Amino acid sequence: MITQPLTQAIRVALFGLAAGALHAAPAAAQEEGTSGEIAAASSQLEEIVVVGRQRSVATDVLQERIEAEVVADIVSSEQISRVGDSTVSLALRRLPGVTLVGDQYVYIRGLGERYSSTTLNGAYVPSPDLTRNVIPLDLFPAEIVETISIQKGYTPDRPAAFGGGNVDVRTRGIPEGPVFNLQVGSGWNSESSNNGFSYRGGDDDTWGTDDGTRALPAELLAAIGDYQGNISPASIYQALLRDGEFHSFAEAELINRQLATSLYRDLDLQGKSLSPDTSVEFSAGNSWYFGSDEQWRFGVLALGDYKNQWRNRERIVRGVLEPELNTFRTERTTNQVVMTGSVGLGLDWAEEHRVEATAIYLRNTEDEASLSIGNNFNFQAAAGQQLRNYRIRFEERDLEILQLRGSHRLGSETLGLLDSLALGGFGFLEDLRFDWYYSDATATTDLPTEVQFSAIDAVDPSTGALLATSIRPSLSAADYRFTDLDDQAESYGSALMLPIEGERYLLELSGGYDYYQKARSYLQTQLGLGTTIAGSALSGTPGGVFTDGNLLDPDNGFQLTLGGIGTESYLAAETITAGWGKVDVLWNDTWRVTAGARWEDFERISVPIDQYQFDPAIGKILVPPGGLETLATAEDDIYPAVALTWIKPDFWAEEFQLRFGWSETVARPDLREISGSTYIDPLTEARVRGNPALVNADISNFDLRGEWYFGNGNNLTVSLFYKDIANPIESVEASGSDDNVSLTFINADSAEVQGLEIEGLMDLGFLSGNGWSEGFFLSGNLTLSDSEIVIGGSALNLTNNTRRMTQHSEYVANLQLGYDSPGGEHSVSLAYSVYGERIYFAGRDGADDAYEQPFDSLDLIWSWYPTERLSLKLRLQNLLDSNIEIQQQGVTILEQTVGLTAKLDLSWKF
């Protein structure tokens, strides 16, 4: 931890550092402009009328997908609501070829999160994730979403960092008229119905933020500065001697112990009766029309929600070798608080000019208390011993976003106004459109305290009964970590589109400019507290051992150390300047061709730092003189794309489209991956080492998709895709000790991904002649795919240098059976999702790869609409009570409970 003025100074220095190394000014922005879409659908599709709440929303988004120039999948807010998904990440898992990892990151077409990009209203947003450069999609609650689009085919108006696809989250716009919605809900989880763990936290925990109780104490922070980054008794003693007076070494030891007492230590685990889930959501807004013919419209929409839930999770971790002797069982209780606030303003004139402003604040906090008990090869129950670890972890993630955007079209009203002002003569530019955007966002993650206490239990060898427990005699028996992440992104851009219509063709010429800059600081402080003197002072729980009396007693030998490995922290910055052009032509209502290219100038630097290095000869930035150039990247390239669509009405359906797409794109290493830093992953406890030698992965994309749209609203799509990746980036296990897993990143030689996607919607009314099946429909998708990666010479003793890509599933299936009652009063959905086994991590030294096992998810959602304003929704999730399992060599090395969840929401709409 460093003081705020120094943090700001480092941030400014970072941009100056990046500018000097990259020979570029520290300002940039990248994002996509907005291009017009040619409507390729016939009037028959526009006349489709579907009765039923669920099925109508499923078809509402079809028109946008039909008009898209490349392969795309879209889900609306109503669809999300019908299946009961609470976050963007959960909603996306129901789309073709999409799998969800850790409830946060989407893998599209078998490619990891590094091969996908996420934008919010077309603009980049920073990530509050401690170990990834991409934004976790569980951060976005479903309440703020209007639609979510996954574009699986590349177009030049999108960022060139494109592999599996681009996810664009579009927030709700201003309403057409007055709206007021209020929803209250509660929930229950089968694993969380009993008591759980808790501890004494701060007064503001209910709001998902720490009040300073857990924070690194100011006196300790000051002492680290006073003693030049070394608070050992020897260092303190040397500092005391600088005043020329006599000081004893015992005096230095006392100062060290007094510093230890400033740490927050009231952390004994306590039993707690877990409360049911609670949630409150509201939205309110209106639009006002004014001016002549009421051509002006001003609107406002405010959204807010609060969620609080407690979850118990039981996890069992086993060693692949002799798992019966190397097993840990963890009981964990997590309190999650989610808060969202959003305000949107919009001004519109004649539906030809619109300016909008959106401010969003998101908070997602998890407060975890856990107890792990188990054995390893050195501590066996047969010898009367077992290990016990107490862990406390409080993580607050915040995202603040301010976006401005506008769209201006030279329509008939605008041309008429110009004529009235004697500024005519622009008729040849009719429907010329200019779009622009600006986005400024800051993501922060704060872990004010993450602490683990290590203990040893004495147990009865025959029964396993606990006889006594004591803290381990070690200087790091209490391991404290304080982590700050600050990720700032600014982007802006514009696009221009001119339509030209001929007798047999419709042509769109478009181009644009994007500029993007990002700066990230990751700062971690690690402290160890303990003693090597075994004795009665260590007997008991952490709260009874780490008392002021025990710590200050010199006979107990407690000592506070500044731990870590010195390179956990890093600073990074990147900029992108981009320009693009595109031609989109529809010929004779039969052929559509879109072709264009994007130029990107990319610059980046990432440097490890030691914030507690006070030696001026070394400096805080751990780069040797002249070494900055080796850490900086400056490159530019052109990324082309071509899409061809054949439109053939009455080919097995009222409307048929056959699409082909080809493009060249790139996947770049994350900021933390190309840094020379080595840090501890806070979730996996693995030691992660960056690799400054990483290079970009170049990707060739091929898509072929047939789409059939029927007059009754049914539809069917079949897609083939193939991706060829040069220099793919993989996370692999490096050499490490038995108790310390080490990970790093390499460029493999090559990788390929290919697959088949099938998606459809079918009305089931034809099943009966007496009408009982009216209102039933079936929708779903299936993806069958395969991948192969060739690791090559950087194998690091991997067992399989040629294998499937990490986290790739050979199949993904989603199925939904829905029913809408004739009067629309009731709506029921049964939703099933499953993915095939996927590599969790690659095995080394002859050990097999570890595979995450298929997870069968079955959810039931029932909605009742007794009045037009009142609705009741019941969600039953994970009805099959599936658990998370990872297997290696036939051993279940990890299993974790999830539980069945029931949620009930009551909504009132004005």
Side-chain angles (χ1 to χ4, degrees):
M1 292 284 183
I2 56 181
T3 62
Q4 184 61 33
L6 185 55
T7 301
Q8 184 65 25
I10 287 179
R11 192 172 296 136
V12 173
L14 172 63
F15 277 105
L17 181 65
L22 302 176
H23 306 289
Q30 173 201 18
E31 201 26 62
E32 61 208 72
T34 306
S35 70
E37 304 292 359
I38 297 178
S42 70
S43 59
Q44 293 179 353
L45 279 173
E46 296 172 358
E47 294 172 358
I48 292 175
V49 177
V50 180
V51 177
R53 291 180 181 268
Q54 297 185 78
R55 195 168 165 221
S56 62
V57 299
T59 56
D60 282 345
V61 298
L62 283 182
Q63 192 65 32
E64 181 178 354
R65 194 171 76 174
I66 292 169
E67 296 176 3
E69 60 202 71
V70 293
V71 173
D73 292 310
I74 301 166
V75 61
S76 70
S77 59
E78 287 295 322
Q79 287 175 291
I80 297 172
S81 176
R82 297 307 175 191
V83 294
D85 294 326
S86 58
T87 65
V88 166
S89 58
L90 292 175
L92 288 176
R93 67 184 172 133
R94 304 187 188 277
L95 292 177
V98 177
T99 55
L100 186 61
V101 177
D103 285 340
Q104 295 179 312
Y105 304 100
V106 293
Y107 278 47
I108 303 174
R109 290 180 165 177
L111 294 172
E113 76 274 357
R114 76 169 67 254
Y115 294 99
S116 301
S117 58
T118 300
T119 54
L120 182 70
N121 297 319
Y124 263 123
V125 287
S127 171
D129 189 278
L130 292 172
T131 59
R132 287 176 174 87
N133 204 28
V134 295
I135 188 165
L137 291 175
D138 67 322
L139 196 62
F140 294 105
E143 294 78 32
I144 69 171
V145 173
E146 184 67 31
T147 60
I148 309 170
S149 169
I150 292 187
Q151 183 174 307
K152 297 178 179 178
Y154 176 69
T155 54
D157 56 333
R158 300 281 182 169
F162 182 100
N166 171 262
V167 178
D168 187 30
V169 181
R170 306 166 187 171
T171 57
R172 293 171 62 179
I174 59 175
E176 295 295 328
V179 296
F180 181 82
N181 304 327
L182 178 64
Q183 176 178 296
V184 294
S186 185
W188 165 90
N189 180 269
S190 61
E191 295 294 321
S192 309
S193 57
N194 298 319
N195 289 341
F197 291 129
S198 184
Y199 65 97
R200 295 184 184 275
D203 293 335
D204 296 334
D205 289 3
T206 302
W207 305 108
T209 190
D210 181 56
D211 62 359
T213 299
R214 305 171 178 84
L216 183 63
E219 55 265 47
L220 184 52
L221 186 61
I224 292 174
D226 293 341
Y227 301 119
Q228 302 291 288
N230 188 342
I231 56 173
S232 67
S235 176
I236 296 174
Y237 180 62
Q238 292 299 320
L240 292 176
L241 295 178
R242 294 191 190 110
D243 63 5
E245 302 292 332
F246 172 78
H247 297 278
S248 67
F249 192 77
E251 184 180 351
E253 291 178 315
L254 176 60
I255 292 175
N256 176 272
R257 294 193 299 271
Q258 289 173 334
L259 291 174
T261 62
S262 68
L263 289 171
Y264 184 58
R265 291 158 289 121
D266 190 5
L267 296 172
D268 263 349
L269 299 185
Q270 305 169 357
K272 175 180 173 58
S273 179
L274 302 187
S275 304
D277 300 348
T278 57
S279 65
V280 178
E281 303 170 11
F282 82 92
S283 61
N286 197 3
S287 285
W288 295 269
Y289 297 82
F290 56 94
S292 61
D293 300 325
E294 294 190 336
Q295 287 185 311
W296 288 93
R297 178 166 70 104
F298 174 76
V300 59
L301 179 66
L303 304 167
D305 81 342
Y306 173 85
K307 295 183 177 70
N308 192 318
Q309 71 174 30
W310 291 83
R311 287 292 181 270
N312 279 337
R313 293 287 184 266
E314 182 179 354
R315 172 182 287 195
I316 301 175
V317 178
R318 302 179 180 89
V320 67
L321 300 177
E322 299 188 69
E324 67 280 356
L325 300 179
N326 189 4
T327 300
F328 267 84
R329 184 184 300 271
T330 301
E331 295 180 1
R332 180 179 63 181
T333 301
T334 301
N335 179 213
Q336 183 182 40
V337 175
V338 177
M339 296 177 62
T340 304
S342 173
V343 176
L345 305 174
L347 182 64
D348 182 281
W349 182 76
E351 298 184 351
E352 294 179 359
H353 301 272
R354 170 176 288 195
V355 176
E356 293 180 286
T358 303
I360 301 174
Y361 175 77
L362 305 173
R363 172 180 291 169
N364 191 318
T365 298
E366 289 191 352
D367 188 7
E368 174 189 321
S370 66
L371 175 64
S372 299
I373 298 175
N375 302 98
N376 60 22
F377 297 114
N378 298 319
F379 295 86
Q380 290 294 310
Q385 291 183 317
Q386 70 181 12
L387 296 175
R388 177 182 296 260
N389 294 326
Y390 309 84
R391 187 169 187 245
I392 304 296
R393 187 174 192 273
F394 186 96
E395 179 180 359
E396 177 185 345
R397 299 181 297 170
D398 295 300
L399 180 60
E400 300 177 15
I401 305 169
L402 174 63
Q403 292 188 337
L404 305 174
R405 55 192 180 275
S407 180
H408 310 276
R409 182 170 61 89
L410 201 61
S412 59
E413 294 292 336
T414 304
L415 290 172
L417 177 62
L418 292 175
D419 288 340
S420 68
L421 298 174
L423 297 174
F426 294 98
F428 69 99
L429 295 177
E430 185 172 4
D431 287 330
L432 175 71
R433 196 172 79 218
F434 175 71
D435 298 321
W436 58 272
Y437 71 92
Y438 171 82
S439 177
D440 186 18
T442 300
T444 59
T445 297
D446 182 25
L447 272 73
T449 287
E450 179 184 8
V451 60
Q452 177 171 293
F453 300 100
S454 300
I456 302 175
D457 292 342
V459 298
D460 188 315
S462 58
T463 65
L466 178 65
L467 301 178
T469 185
S470 61
I471 298 299
R472 295 184 71 172
S474 167
L475 292 180
S476 60
D479 182 60
Y480 282 80
R481 292 181 195 167
F482 306 85
T483 305
D484 279 325
L485 179 142
D486 188 292
D487 209 354
Q488 299 182 1
E490 182 182 21
S491 61
Y492 52 86
S494 58
L496 196 65
M497 188 277 293
L498 175 64
I500 303 174
E501 187 171 0
E503 184 177 347
R504 302 181 63 183
Y505 68 88
L506 179 59
L507 173 67
E508 287 184 356
L509 303 176
S510 59
Y513 168 83
D514 298 297
Y515 203 50
Y516 162 73
Q517 77 171 19
K518 179 176 182 177
R520 164 176 279 213
S521 65
Y522 179 94
L523 306 176
Q524 185 179 98
T525 298
Q526 186 173 353
L527 296 167
L529 175 60
T531 177
T532 57
I533 301 175
S536 59
L538 295 179
S539 298
T541 63
V545 172
F546 294 98
T547 62
D548 287 355
N550 278 345
L551 292 182
L552 294 174
D553 188 341
D555 293 336
N556 293 330
F558 280 100
Q559 184 175 327
L560 180 66
T561 59
L562 189 61
I565 51 181
T567 59
E568 297 89 348
S569 304
Y570 66 92
L571 301 176
E574 67 182 23
T575 66
I576 297 176
T577 305
W580 58 272
K582 185 174 61 175
V583 176
D584 191 357
V585 59
L586 175 65
W587 179 265
N588 205 28
D589 289 330
T590 302
W591 293 97
R592 181 181 183 183
V593 179
T594 305
R598 182 183 184 91
W599 168 80
E600 283 194 356
D601 180 75
F602 176 76
E603 299 173 334
R604 176 185 58 203
I605 189 168
S606 180
V607 294
I609 65 169
D610 185 350
Q611 55 183 326
Y612 299 128
Q613 174 57 254
F614 290 86
D615 187 344
I618 300 176
K620 297 182 183 297
I621 298 177
L622 304 180
V623 179
L628 284 178
E629 292 184 0
T630 64
L631 299 178
T633 298
E635 61 192 21
D636 68 294
D637 209 339
I638 295 176
Y639 304 93
V642 175
L644 175 66
T645 303
W646 177 46
I647 305 167
K648 178 64 174 177
D650 299 321
F651 183 74
W652 298 352
E654 283 76 359
E655 287 297 324
F656 169 75
Q657 293 187 148
L658 181 65
R659 303 178 183 271
F660 169 77
W662 164 83
S663 62
E664 297 285 337
T665 55
V666 67
R668 301 183 177 107
D670 287 348
L671 290 174
R672 50 108 190 189
E673 293 173 349
I674 50 90
S675 169
S677 299
T678 299
Y679 57 92
I680 304 299
D681 188 311
L683 296 179
T684 65
E685 295 297 316
R687 177 170 292 187
V688 183
R689 184 177 70 249
N691 180 5
L694 286 177
V695 299
N696 293 343
D698 297 317
I699 309 171
S700 297
N701 309 280
F702 300 88
D703 290 278
L704 183 65
R705 179 168 181 169
E707 303 173 349
W708 291 266
Y709 301 99
F710 301 88
N712 59 0
N714 293 344
N715 62 80
L716 173 68
T717 63
V718 180
S719 305
L720 296 172
F721 62 89
Y722 172 78
K723 297 180 182 292
D724 185 20
I725 308 174
N727 303 314
I729 304 167
E730 279 280 289
S731 172
V732 298
E733 185 177 0
S735 58
S737 65
D738 293 338
D739 297 326
N740 183 19
V741 176
S742 182
L743 301 176
T744 189
F745 309 95
I746 62 170
N747 282 112
D749 287 352
S750 63
E752 293 182 340
V753 182
Q754 57 272 327
L756 166 71
E757 293 176 347
I758 304 173
E759 181 183 16
L761 170 70
M762 177 181 292
D763 176 51
L764 300 180
F766 68 92
L767 293 178
S768 68
N770 57 8
W772 67 265
S773 61
E774 291 294 330
F776 283 93
F777 70 92
L778 187 67
S779 66
N781 56 74
L782 172 67
T783 300
L784 305 174
S785 65
D786 192 17
S787 68
E788 181 181 85
I789 186 168
V790 180
I791 302 297
S794 301
L796 299 176
N797 295 324
L798 296 180
T799 302
N800 299 312
N801 286 331
T802 301
R803 53 172 172 79
R804 278 165 44 198
M805 298 183 72
T806 302
Q807 296 290 351
H808 173 262
S809 298
E810 292 184 316
Y811 65 87
V812 180
N814 297 284
L815 190 66
Q816 180 183 354
L817 176 64
Y819 171 74
D820 294 315
S821 64
E825 187 176 350
H826 297 276
S827 173
V828 183
S829 294
L830 189 64
Y832 173 75
S833 299
V834 65
Y835 55 79
E837 68 174 14
R838 53 197 186 193
I839 295 179
Y840 188 73
F841 63 82
R844 296 180 66 250
D845 300 323
D848 290 344
D849 300 329
Y851 286 88
E852 183 177 354
Q853 299 304 296
F855 187 93
D856 295 276
S857 173
L858 182 64
D859 302 339
L860 177 66
I861 305 95
W862 168 69
S863 298
W864 178 37
Y865 305 88
T867 70
E868 286 297 320
R869 295 185 178 181
L870 190 66
S871 64
L872 188 69
K873 180 187 297 181
L874 174 65
R875 292 175 283 176
L876 302 177
Q877 298 172 319
N878 194 26
L879 289 171
L880 301 179
D881 199 19
S882 297
N883 293 326
I884 298 171
E885 292 188 3
I886 298 174
Q887 294 184 2
Q888 185 181 24
Q889 297 184 182
V891 177
T892 302
I893 61 173
L894 184 147
E895 56 182 300
Q896 178 172 296
T897 60
V898 176
L900 184 150
T901 300
K903 296 183 178 181
L904 186 65
D905 297 322
L906 178 65
S907 301
W908 183 80
K909 297 183 178 181
F910 174 77

